Amino acid sequence: MTAKEEAQRLVDESLPYAEELLTKYSEFFPFGRVIEVGGAVGHHAGYPGGEQPPSSEVIDVLQKAWRQMAADGSIRATALTYDIRTIPPGRSEKQDAVCIAIDHRDSYSVQVIFPYRIVDGVPDIEPPFAVEGSYSIFGTPA
């Protein structure tokens, strides 16, 4: 599979779980998925301590662990899924969105952003848009 195909696989694994959490709780803590070297998808959660840690601390825990796994050569891609507020293209006001930040060892990094609204307790997920990622796990492209 190409890096883009593996990124799509991680989005397909991550978005339904985010949608499930939004349906149950109208929010969610950041969570992750990885593709291991052998191709299996692993499910990851971060816990920095405390009853309700800030999302930024959960993200830091996951990214630190993934950087080590990347350095060890045990993973080939990561997907960090978290809730954000953003202004989608063509709009002028911020709205809630699910962000799935993908990093792949083959110099591929993208953030796939799914704006949403909660309607009658159910998330209405809108079509996504994508922006270049931060290359925060495997490093910047050569």
Side-chain angles (χ1 to χ4, degrees), residues 61-82:
V61 166
L62 286 167
Q63 288 181 327
K64 182 178 179 184
W66 291 343
R67 280 188 209 96
Q68 184 59 54
M69 295 171 80
D72 294 344
S74 62
I75 58 172
R76 60 187 195 215
T78 64
L80 175 65
T81 303
Y82 55 104

Side-chain angles (χ1 to χ4, degrees), residues 78-102:
T78 64
L80 175 65
T81 303
Y82 55 104
D83 210 1
I84 64 170
R85 302 245 331 134
T86 190
I87 300 173
R91 305 236 176 106
S92 59
E93 293 184 26
K94 281 190 174 187
Q95 80 176 84
D96 293 317
V98 173
C99 178
I100 304 175
I102 308 286

